[in-house]
Amino acid sequence: MTGNIVFAPLIAWPVFWAIVALAVLTVGLSIWRRMAGWWLRALGATALLIAIANPAYQSEERQELSDIVIAVIDRSASQQVSTRPDQTTEALETLRNRIARLPNTELREVIVGDAEGDAGTEAMTALTAALAEEPMSRVAGVFFLSDGRIHDMEMAPDVPAPVHLLQSGEPDDWDRRLVVSNAPAFAIIGEPVTLTLMIEDQGRAPTSAFTPLTISIDGQEPLEFEIPLGQSIDLPITLPHGGMNVLEFRTPTVDGELTDRNNAAVIQMNGVRDRLRVLLVSGEPHPGERTWRNLLKSDSAVDLVHFTILRPPEKQDGVPVDEMSLIAFPTRELFQEKIEEFDLIIFDRYRRRGILPNSYFNNITNYVLNGGALLVSAGPEYGSADSIFRSGLGDILPGVPTGRVVEEPYLPTVTDIGERHPVTEGLEQFAGGTDTDTPWGRWLRQIDVNAAKNSTVVMSGINDRPLLMLGREGEGRVALIASDHSWLWDRGYEGGGPQLELLRRLAHWMMKEPELEEEALWADVSGQTLHITRRTLTEGVGNVTITKPDGTVETLTLNQTDPGRYELDYDAEQMGLYRLSEGDLTAVIGVGPAAPKEFEQTIATDEVIDPIQAATGGGTLEMSDGPFNLRAVDAGRLAAGSNWLGITPRGAYRTTSLTVTPLVPAWLFLMLAGLLILGAWLREGRR
């Protein structure tokens, strides 16, 4: 119990102090005039003032409150390397024991893990949240058990007690990391883009001038280089294909370095074509010719060269072929000198008529075998003696004509394998019709062909005869549409059909876009969730093996979502590089940034936290030095030494009861004041 004198004046304090001044003035005047009762006046004024001040004795019953020490325990990714987890556990146990020995002191523990995204270690945010739950008058100290790599120092709160760091790590720690900068999200296929790369050592690293570097694209066989340490290297990269290209850079792990988590970087760059260069070769004029041209010209990314014959073959007027055009068409330049510059060649109802010699067709064949793409839209001429199949193209075309042309309405149908092929998979959802039995309009003519040995029939027509055939020849790809009536879909005949989507997919498949490969394994990232997709033309797939950034391996079973498509969402607990494999297929994907913030700097330090330590008188002890001691220090004093850290006892308490007892009744002091004043008047009246 504690007590003290309190005052509860009967009037406002300003008025009270005015009365005090008046009383002092009156007593002073009495003394100056040498009045005999001045002392009685002084006593009377004092009694009057005491009565007005209303003094009382206040007593309190207090409950002493404990001091609170907050321990912020860093369990982020950088704290999981080397001996740091064990060091942190041992230091925490020591801190618990030391706190338990102190009288009336409690320990609050706050665990800090990896922040969402790539925010790093948000220890100060965690401390702010912990302080908000405790009375500031009870906080006696704060301890960070960390490597000191804190990434939210701008959120540091005002702490009324010493802030200390128990620093993990070893004095001779060192680490090597790979940094890739200046990496754009997009690059034009075939044109080099420059990345800036550097491999640097941190801490007490061994002396070395060069280090190996491997570069792999889409999980393929890596290329090996030797580059200097600590120097920025400009590296030109040319993307091999459109769509997402995954570039993996890696330097081997060296014995003694802290972690290999920053020895690799994954850059995901989307390959885009500057322009799709298309050569359209039109033969006999027909209603679909304008449709082809309009479709290709409607896309600003398509650079179209249209080679056409405007005179029908049955017209014989004796005009020489080389005199049938206003200007000489550059056939030699197109089909011999610059043929390799085209991305796609389309033959639309073209027949051999002596304009293009056989050597040009042989050039087109070689163009395909070397990686080019050829699309043939066949009409009745495809089954005739003038068919381009009778040229050098016959060796690579996926359909062999029988010479029969069927003129009757029929509904193009996606075959069983077409349901799994990326060119025609789910094509019905792009049709404009509402009838599920007939999702699109009919065609009216089909050229009868037999599918070549290595071709894939993805659409069929009359009596399930091949209608759309795809084939791979050498490094290139070919496609054959055994009808010249696909334009009916574009014109809306019987509701039309998805001609634009079909041709777009055909072009992308022929351009070898990864998302349209028949056998493919890839993953997309959303936050820290991997959406894994396996596409196949077969009836089933095996399990996918996933290798995590820390080297652990897990086997996943994918779920079939559509014919030929298997998918799974996988929650990635770690940021870094994930490797996927199924059979002969592999893929790599990066979760998080190319260089996670947790591993940008891995050498332990107290420089980051030093400002808040200097402001509160705290200090740093290294966990590797072993156990430490705690001391109680006065507020404002230095709270750290060679092997000890201090806390500031707060002496906080809670008042449980309060009693106020008046010292004397006010009326009694008023009566006493009146008697004294009367006595002064009587004494002075006798003189």
Side-chain angles (χ1 to χ4, degrees):
M1 177 182 290
T2 60
N4 59 307
I5 303 298
V6 297
F7 295 91
L10 301 177
I11 58 176
W13 279 111
V15 178
F16 175 80
W17 291 115
I19 295 174
V20 170
L22 181 61
V24 171
L25 181 62
T26 302
V27 172
L29 183 61
S30 300
I31 296 174
W32 179 69
R33 296 179 61 184
R34 298 174 184 257
M35 298 177 67
W38 69 268
W39 58 276
L40 290 172
R41 292 177 181 273
L43 291 176
T46 301
L48 178 63
L49 292 174
I50 291 175
I52 295 175
N54 191 23
Y57 180 77
Q58 177 179 288
S59 60
E60 297 180 356
E61 289 285 348
R62 295 180 176 180
Q63 177 185 358
E64 187 179 5
L65 299 178
S66 61
D67 293 325
I68 295 176
V69 176
I70 299 177
V72 182
I73 305 155
D74 183 359
R75 296 294 188 184
S76 61
S78 63
Q79 273 286 91
Q80 306 306 312
V81 301
S82 188
T83 60
R84 293 180 184 180
D86 295 337
Q87 283 183 332
T88 303
T89 300
E90 184 177 345
L92 178 59
E93 191 62 31
T94 300
L95 181 61
R96 289 170 178 167
N97 294 335
R98 298 296 185 265
I99 294 295
R101 296 178 186 178
L102 296 177
N104 203 33
T105 305
E106 298 181 50
L107 180 65
R108 302 281 195 269
E109 298 180 9
V110 180
I111 305 296
V112 180
D114 291 325
E116 293 185 4
D118 188 37
T121 302
E122 296 186 338
M124 290 301 169
T125 301
L127 174 60
T128 301
L131 289 173
E133 298 179 1
E134 307 292 348
M136 296 295 282
S137 60
R138 295 177 60 189
V139 177
V142 175
F143 290 80
F144 286 93
L145 285 73
S146 171
D147 56 8
R149 296 297 180 179
I150 297 173
H151 302 105
D152 64 340
M153 285 301 299
E154 70 280 359
M155 301 298 294
D158 292 329
V159 183
V163 176
H164 304 295
L165 172 64
L166 294 174
Q167 180 181 305
S168 61
E170 302 289 345
D172 58 350
D173 280 345
W174 73 279
D175 193 31
R176 176 170 293 174
R177 73 168 183 141
L178 185 151
V179 183
V180 178
S181 58
N182 191 33
F186 297 88
I188 297 176
I189 301 172
E191 295 187 9
V193 58
T194 301
L195 308 181
T196 303
L197 179 146
M198 182 175 69
I199 300 177
E200 64 175 5
D201 286 345
Q202 304 171 355
R204 299 184 180 179
T207 303
S208 180
F210 291 86
T211 184
L213 172 71
T214 60
I215 303 175
S216 176
I217 300 179
D218 294 333
Q220 301 300 317
E221 190 69 24
L223 304 176
E224 298 183 359
F225 303 90
E226 287 279 337
I227 68 170
L229 275 170
Q231 297 183 21
S232 294
I233 304 296
D234 289 335
L235 185 67
I237 294 290
T238 301
L239 299 186
H241 58 75
M244 190 59 66
N245 293 257
V246 181
L247 285 68
E248 178 191 0
F249 303 87
R250 178 176 294 276
T251 184
T253 305
V254 181
D255 291 340
E257 64 174 310
L258 277 177
T259 177
D260 62 355
R261 291 283 301 277
N262 50 11
N263 286 35
V266 176
I267 304 298
Q268 301 178 82
M269 299 176 62
N270 196 17
V272 296
R273 296 183 182 275
D274 181 20
R275 299 183 68 83
L276 181 65
R277 294 175 294 273
V278 178
L279 173 60
L280 174 61
V281 182
S282 297
E284 180 177 341
H286 71 106
E289 181 177 346
R290 180 172 293 276
T291 299
W292 277 104
R293 182 177 178 85
N294 290 342
L295 283 173
L296 295 171
K297 293 294 289 185
S298 64
D299 190 345
S300 60
V302 173
D303 193 358
L304 176 66
V305 175
H306 191 182
F307 177 84
T308 183
I309 304 300
L310 298 179
R311 187 178 70 169
E314 64 272 9
K315 183 177 182 180
Q316 302 294 332
D317 54 9
V319 179
V321 171
D322 58 358
E323 296 180 8
M324 290 174 58
S325 60
L326 297 178
I327 59 174
F329 200 83
T331 54
R332 175 181 175 83
E333 183 178 9
L334 290 177
F335 294 97
Q336 184 164 331
E337 297 177 1
K338 294 187 175 182
I339 188 172
E340 299 294 337
E341 296 181 5
F342 290 102
D343 298 305
L344 173 64
I345 297 177
I346 302 175
F347 278 98
D348 176 34
R349 288 203 60 176
Y350 186 82
R351 72 171 69 206
R352 294 184 302 122
R353 58 186 66 190
I355 296 176
L356 298 180
N358 287 333
S359 61
Y360 287 2
F361 288 108
N362 292 334
N363 290 342
I364 297 174
T365 300
N366 293 330
Y367 155 81
V368 172
L369 296 177
N370 292 328
L374 173 65
L375 171 62
V376 176
S377 177
E381 75 289 335
Y382 189 74
S384 68
D386 296 333
S387 171
I388 59 174
F389 183 82
R390 314 299 177 186
S391 68
L393 295 180
D395 295 334
I396 61 172
L397 290 175
V400 181
T402 64
R404 180 169 170 259
V405 177
V406 182
E407 303 269 359
E408 66 178 69
Y410 65 94
L411 189 70
T413 305
V414 177
T415 64
D416 290 341
I417 198 170
E419 294 286 350
R420 298 189 294 272
H421 200 286
V423 170
T424 49
E425 171 196 22
L427 195 62
E428 295 86 354
Q429 62 182 308
F430 295 93
T434 58
D435 190 346
T436 56
D437 294 331
T438 56
W440 42 59
R442 294 177 296 173
W443 294 358
L444 305 179
R445 179 159 57 204
Q446 182 174 353
I447 314 306
D448 189 44
V449 297
N450 293 320
K453 181 178 180 181
N454 296 326
S455 67
T456 301
V457 180
V458 296
M459 294 186 73
S460 61
I462 301 172
N463 298 325
D464 293 330
R465 297 296 293 166
L467 180 62
L468 174 58
M469 292 142 282
L470 309 177
R472 296 170 180 259
E473 297 294 336
E475 299 295 326
R477 301 185 180 187
V478 292
L480 172 65
I481 303 175
S483 175
D484 59 341
H485 278 193
S486 64
W487 61 272
L488 292 173
W489 278 358
D490 181 65
R491 299 288 181 88
Y493 176 72
E494 292 187 346
Q499 185 194 31
L500 180 60
E501 177 65 17
L502 177 61
L503 296 181
R504 185 193 68 81
R505 292 188 186 184
L506 264 176
H508 285 194
W509 176 80
M510 301 180 83
M511 294 299 101
K512 306 175 185 178
E513 299 290 348
E515 64 270 16
L516 286 171
E517 289 295 301
E518 301 95 316
E519 300 292 333
L521 172 67
W522 75 90
D524 299 313
V525 179
S526 177
Q528 287 192 232
T529 299
L530 293 179
H531 183 73
I532 303 172
T533 304
R534 171 73 166 93
R535 173 182 280 146
T536 181
L537 296 183
T538 61
E539 292 294 338
V541 297
N543 292 331
V544 172
T545 300
I546 182 169
T547 304
K548 304 177 185 178
D550 61 1
T552 58
V553 178
E554 187 174 350
T555 300
L556 307 176
T557 300
L558 304 185
N559 303 314
Q560 185 172 3
T561 57
D562 289 303
R565 180 184 286 265
Y566 298 79
E567 299 176 342
L568 179 69
D569 285 335
Y570 177 80
D571 292 331
E573 299 176 353
Q574 308 169 20
M575 287 191 294
L577 180 68
Y578 286 78
R579 295 179 176 274
L580 309 175
S581 64
E582 193 278 317
D584 296 333
L585 298 177
T586 61
V588 292
I589 191 72
V591 176
K597 186 173 291 187
E598 276 294 310
F599 295 100
E600 287 181 359
Q601 302 288 337
T602 56
I603 305 302
T605 182
D606 62 351
E607 294 179 358
V608 177
I609 201 175
D610 181 68
I612 193 172
Q613 286 183 305
T616 60
T620 299
L621 292 180
E622 296 185 4
M623 296 180 184
S624 59
D625 290 338
F628 55 91
N629 297 313
L630 289 185
R631 296 181 186 177
V633 298
D634 294 334
R637 300 289 300 275
L638 183 64
S642 60
N643 193 37
W644 64 271
L645 299 173
I647 63 173
T648 303
R650 306 291 288 175
Y653 62 88
R654 178 187 295 114
T655 300
T656 58
S657 65
L658 179 66
T659 303
V660 179
T661 304
L663 291 178
V664 290
W667 63 267
L668 181 60
F669 274 81
L670 289 174
M671 184 180 291
L672 178 60
L675 291 174
L676 290 171
I677 294 172
L678 179 61
W681 178 72
L682 292 174
R683 181 176 175 80
E684 293 170 354
R686 293 176 182 175
R687 297 183 62 182

